[in-house]
Amino acid sequence: MGDEEKLQKELDKKRGILRLKPNLVPQAYPGLNRIGVRNSRPGKLGYASERWIACCVGRLRRLRSEPKAPNAGLSVISLQTTHHDILLGDAFDLLPSRMLGENFAKANHNTLGFMLGILDVGYPIFSHIHPTRDESYYFLQHPVASGSLPYSHLGFHPETTSSEVLECLKRWNDDKALDLSPAYRLNTGEGFYTRAGVPHAPGTAITLELGEPSDEYHILQADYMGRLFSKRDFLLKELPSEEDVIRLIDFETSTDSNYYRKYHLLPEPVSKPPEGEGSERWIYNPRTTGKYSGKEIKVKPRAKITCHEDAAHPLLIWQGKAVIEQTPVRAKLGQDEVLVTKEAAEAGYTVKNTGKSWLVAYKAFGPNVYSQT
């Protein structure tokens, strides 16, 4: 039985709900063990302090000397009926219409069109920019939600000039780039939207991050945790000079005196709530950007809701336990992540809370799935 036939069988039996394996992605910063895995000691590639959800974008090699890991960052479907595994991206290539819908699959090159992840930041992340990636954050509820420093540096102070930033990049021997950037408190149940080219140094609040599908970045902070980053490997990369990095920065957005009010995110109820005893809120409102969107769902104990969506999407269980159609899920690593395919999303699927507490879960959607109005 080939992979396509195995996938067809799973889709038929599981009503379009596919279980995904946890996708832990090593990073330079340590975590606080808030994503279900202990990460106090780094492995060969770093600390297990990020988890990517339903991801088709591989993790970049940070250094040429780094061991090759060709599938790092790529999510895997666990086929329950045949006891096989298949890369999520391969499944999209095999059955794009059933998985994603024909038009969406063509427009997004057989992917979901976004990156979704959980950041378990135990020490603030270095200041950096993504030249082609917008991203948004939502700060999750957790017993250790805030961490030691729940503040993120975002953008630049309004009076900051490109010459001041360039001076930091030329000098490349300290972390003074942070002095040019204001810090904002990270409150549970709130978030921020960060445009491409805006410097940011995320703080230690546990974060659900949704953004465009890219792992490209340039670090602006030379010194990090007592380590001096290589300018060639982490700042310049393929660029010839520091001036070229400066040209990637969106100074207009970064120095906006109304930055907080424009880019601070608060959840909003959806206009058409699900059927049943539960609720949905936009945590990444499509009004902010047409590039992606996302919802939080809550279901009362022992109750159920029926969801209808316009596109395939991952569903991550953050609190409680449930049955999604025929698939049992719970807030435990390895049992908390599924992909709802296009056909299941359109037809409608039930989420039954089988626990004694409220069920809390998160969904994410790709470009232009929902209107910006």
Side-chain angles (χ1 to χ4, degrees):
M1 186 184 297
D3 283 348
E4 183 174 342
E5 190 177 353
K6 292 173 187 174
L7 184 57
Q8 294 273 23
K9 186 175 182 179
E10 185 84 2
L11 289 169
D12 292 341
K13 186 168 183 180
K14 298 294 183 179
R15 300 180 184 176
I17 309 295
L18 301 175
R19 190 182 294 279
L20 297 173
K21 290 191 166 185
N23 181 11
L24 300 170
V25 182
Q27 299 293 355
Y29 55 86
L32 295 176
N33 307 316
R34 294 174 291 182
I35 55 175
V37 59
R38 297 199 64 81
N39 51 36
S40 55
R41 294 184 178 179
K44 290 182 179 180
L45 299 179
Y47 298 90
S49 50
E50 285 192 16
R51 179 178 169 191
W52 293 0
I53 311 298
C55 188
C56 296
V57 177
R59 175 189 180 275
L60 289 176
R61 291 179 71 195
R62 308 310 193 203
L63 296 168
R64 289 182 290 274
S65 60
E66 187 176 286
K68 291 183 178 180
N71 290 338
L74 300 177
S75 291
V76 172
I77 299 172
S78 176
L79 300 176
Q80 307 289 290
T81 54
T82 56
H83 306 289
H84 286 83
D85 295 340
I86 182 172
L87 285 172
L88 178 62
D90 290 348
F92 288 153
D93 288 338
L94 287 171
L95 297 173
S97 293
R98 288 197 73 178
M99 298 283 287
L100 296 167
E102 185 175 354
N103 293 335
F104 186 92
K106 286 181 179 178
N108 295 281
H109 310 287
N110 287 357
T111 72
L112 288 164
F114 60 75
M115 285 180 69
L116 177 68
I118 307 172
L119 311 185
D120 178 21
V121 181
Y123 186 93
I125 301 176
F126 38 78
S127 178
H128 61 287
I129 59 166
H130 299 291
T132 59
R133 169 185 161 91
D134 286 13
E135 60 187 32
S136 297
Y137 322 117
Y138 181 73
F139 307 116
L140 297 165
Q141 187 69 249
H142 188 276
V144 194
S146 296
S148 60
L149 196 63
Y151 294 85
S152 285
H153 289 272
L154 298 168
F156 289 131
H157 295 295
E159 69 278 6
T160 303
T161 66
S162 60
S163 297
E164 290 176 286
V165 181
L166 182 60
E167 182 182 346
C168 286
L169 303 187
K170 291 281 190 182
R171 188 170 63 242
W172 201 251
N173 61 6
D174 55 37
D175 60 0
K176 294 296 182 67
L178 294 174
D179 292 350
L180 303 177
S181 182
Y184 300 98
R185 182 173 172 82
L186 312 182
N187 296 311
T188 297
E190 300 177 10
F192 283 96
Y193 168 47
T194 302
R195 287 183 170 177
V198 172
H200 52 289
T204 58
I206 187 164
T207 303
L208 188 68
E209 179 186 83
L210 179 61
E212 294 181 271
S214 169
D215 193 27
E216 294 285 347
Y217 66 93
H218 294 267
I219 291 177
L220 306 181
Q221 176 183 337
D223 183 273
Y224 180 68
M225 296 175 60
R227 168 192 176 188
L228 196 64
F229 283 124
S230 160
K231 178 179 283 193
R232 169 52 57 190
D233 290 331
F234 292 98
L235 172 67
L236 299 178
K237 298 191 172 184
E238 73 288 351
L239 298 176
S241 70
E242 295 88 342
E243 285 81 1
D244 292 286
V245 177
I246 291 292
R247 282 189 277 271
L248 298 176
I249 297 174
D250 180 351
F251 277 91
E252 182 178 358
T253 300
S254 298
T255 59
D256 192 328
S257 59
N258 291 316
Y259 189 96
Y260 180 85
R261 294 193 179 277
K262 287 184 179 179
Y263 301 108
H264 177 228
L265 302 178
L266 294 172
E268 298 180 38
V270 300
S271 57
K272 294 182 180 179
E275 304 162 15
E277 296 182 272
S279 63
E280 286 187 340
R281 303 189 299 173
W282 290 114
I283 58 170
Y284 309 116
N285 200 306
R287 188 176 64 246
T288 302
T289 173
K291 297 176 180 179
Y292 50 76
S293 57
K295 296 178 181 179
E296 175 187 75
I297 69 170
K298 291 185 175 181
V299 185
K300 290 182 180 179
R302 305 299 184 184
K304 69 177 180 179
I305 62 172
T306 300
C307 301
H308 294 266
E309 302 291 0
D310 293 346
H313 56 276
L315 197 153
L316 176 71
I317 306 300
W318 187 246
Q319 176 184 303
K321 60 181 180 177
V323 174
I324 304 173
E325 289 296 316
Q326 300 175 333
T327 301
V329 292
R330 61 189 304 173
K332 184 178 180 181
L333 190 70
Q335 301 176 45
D336 57 355
E337 181 182 352
V338 297
L339 178 81
V340 180
T341 60
K342 167 70 170 179
E343 58 186 32
E346 261 191 347
Y349 60 94
T350 60
V351 179
K352 183 178 181 181
N353 184 346
T354 55
K356 297 179 181 179
S357 61
W358 279 81
L359 179 78
V360 180
Y362 296 97
K363 311 176 186 179
F365 307 95
N368 303 309
V369 170
Y370 289 104
S371 171
Q372 290 183 259
T373 60

